[in-house]
Amino acid sequence: MKKWLYTIIFSLGLLSFTTYILLDTFVLTKEYQVVEDEPTKEELPDEESIITTEDYYKDNNIEIKLDRVRELETDIYLVDIKVSDVKYLKTAFAKNTYGKNVSEVTSKIAASHDAIVAINGDFYGVQEKGYVLRNYKIYRKSSKANQSDLVIKSDGSFEIIKEKEIKLDSIKDAKEVLSFGPALVIDGKVVVGEKEEVAKARASNPRTAIAIIDDLHYLFLVSDGRTKESKGLSLYELANILKDYNVKIAYNLDGGGSSTLYFNGKVINNPTHDGKKMEERKVSDIVYIGY
């Protein structure tokens, strides 16, 4: 057989393999486990206790205040949250299913769980490794090199751990483990450098972060970015803004086109991937407040 024919066959084989890898990583859906977590009627709030406005929600167990600020040429949305119990700080998978490339937009996941407020999560579904623990249940135990995680404990406190230093099933009292990062603030101090970024991300991006201020007192932050109206934030800028709100621990979640804030039944920010088209990106999971 002529050499050129070998070359063609090899090239076609390599193309097929590369195509499969790309499809397997970003497109092909693999559903591993369906999750059911519905509140009972006894858990729901007394309707007479509910107070809600465009920027506010309160009932017997939850108080939420939405604030919009403009800093560093960027529109930033801050959600101050107080709950009576950590059980109201929840996570949810797209389509109620743990799997690979299983995704929905944040607002759809939030609405299906009757979330009062929600942000996008860590997009675990496009990663092969990295801890996944949700509602006290372990879904993925394989660790990822140089990965720092946020642990939400059963008492509502936050802890930052490094996957290489601790096995997932040895973490005590873990309610949720989010694996994206990096940590932004620890013990009230900024812990990211001025030039630190996530992989090859742009320096100024839409951002999503979660932080703790005090016992059962949390802060969600989402910023717009990549548009003429809103530049976006670097990790260092994001960390310093959070520090100004006296947070004890703050953690970076998936950003860019994923960054979405949902409150009182609608999307609050302006999600965009490229700055031209304003729409939500489908994600694997959300963090939310609800019943």
Side-chain angles (χ1 to χ4, degrees):
M1 191 179 291
K2 294 182 179 180
K3 185 176 180 180
W4 62 266
L5 188 54
Y6 281 116
T7 301
I8 292 174
I9 293 172
F10 175 79
S11 298
L12 288 173
L14 181 60
L15 178 60
S16 298
F17 177 75
T18 302
T19 301
Y20 171 77
I21 292 297
L22 290 172
L23 287 172
D24 185 60
T25 301
F26 299 109
V27 179
L28 297 178
T29 298
K30 296 180 182 179
E31 298 183 357
Y32 300 133
Q33 188 170 351
V34 175
V35 180
E36 295 184 8
D37 182 24
E38 294 295 330
T40 65
K41 289 183 179 179
E42 290 75 17
E43 293 176 312
L44 297 175
D46 179 0
E47 291 188 5
E48 294 182 358
S49 74
I50 298 174
I51 301 171
T52 183
T53 68
E54 183 180 3
D55 297 331
Y56 184 75
Y57 175 94
K58 185 177 182 180
D59 64 32
N60 292 330
N61 301 300
I62 297 167
E63 184 176 18
I64 300 169
K65 299 175 183 178
L66 169 65
D67 191 20
R68 299 169 172 86
V69 299
R70 176 83 178 174
E71 291 189 39
L72 301 170
E73 302 176 60
T74 300
D75 292 324
I76 302 167
Y77 310 85
L78 295 141
V79 187
D80 186 283
I81 300 161
K82 294 179 181 178
V83 295
S84 63
D85 193 292
V86 71
K87 67 182 180 181
Y88 303 116
L89 173 58
K90 298 171 173 278
T91 59
F93 293 136
K95 300 179 182 179
N96 278 344
T97 301
Y98 168 70
K100 185 174 182 179
N101 294 322
V102 179
S103 61
E104 292 179 301
V105 295
T106 293
S107 60
K108 187 171 183 178
I109 308 173
S112 69
H113 287 271
D114 295 321
I116 303 165
V117 64
I119 52 177
N120 59 287
D122 64 7
F123 217 149
Y124 77 88
V126 295
Q127 305 294 333
E128 294 290 344
K129 296 182 178 181
Y131 294 161
V132 181
L133 183 152
R134 302 295 158 84
N135 196 31
Y136 301 102
K137 184 173 182 177
I138 292 174
Y139 291 92
R140 187 168 66 200
K141 297 170 65 173
S142 55
S143 61
K144 186 177 180 182
N146 302 316
Q147 178 64 46
S148 294
D149 294 351
L150 173 66
V151 179
I152 301 175
K153 298 296 206 58
S154 60
D155 63 357
S157 62
F158 282 10
E159 180 183 359
I160 302 296
I161 60 104
K162 294 183 179 179
E163 291 189 1
K164 68 178 182 180
E165 295 178 355
I166 185 169
K167 292 183 178 180
L168 181 56
D169 50 14
S170 67
I171 301 173
K172 295 181 179 180
D173 301 321
K175 179 181 183 293
E176 319 282 346
V177 175
L178 298 167
S179 180
F180 195 86
L184 302 166
V185 176
I186 298 177
D187 295 331
K189 298 179 180 179
V190 171
V191 292
V192 289
E194 291 188 44
K195 296 183 179 180
E196 187 172 346
E197 278 303 331
V198 178
K200 297 180 180 180
R202 307 178 193 178
S204 294
N205 270 302
R207 300 288 183 180
T208 302
I210 181 173
I212 186 166
I213 297 172
D214 208 342
D215 294 346
L216 301 176
H217 186 183
Y218 306 102
L219 186 70
F220 290 172
L221 184 152
V222 171
S223 76
D224 288 337
R226 298 181 181 172
T227 67
K228 293 180 180 178
E229 295 78 18
S230 191
K231 180 181 176 183
L233 302 171
S234 69
L235 285 179
Y236 185 72
E237 290 168 341
L238 174 63
N240 276 281
I241 289 170
L242 288 161
K243 177 179 176 292
D244 288 344
Y245 284 86
N246 299 315
V247 303
K248 294 178 180 177
I249 292 176
Y251 186 78
N252 182 58
L253 294 171
D254 186 25
S258 299
S259 288
T260 306
L261 172 62
Y262 172 96
F263 181 53
N264 277 342
K266 62 182 181 181
V267 175
I268 301 300
N269 69 313
N270 298 291
T272 182
H273 177 67
D274 57 9
K276 298 176 182 178
K277 194 173 183 180
M278 299 299 166
E279 64 179 7
E280 293 180 73
R281 173 195 283 171
K282 291 183 178 181
V283 296
S284 299
D285 57 311
I286 64 170
V287 180
Y288 74 100
I289 301 294
Y291 288 86

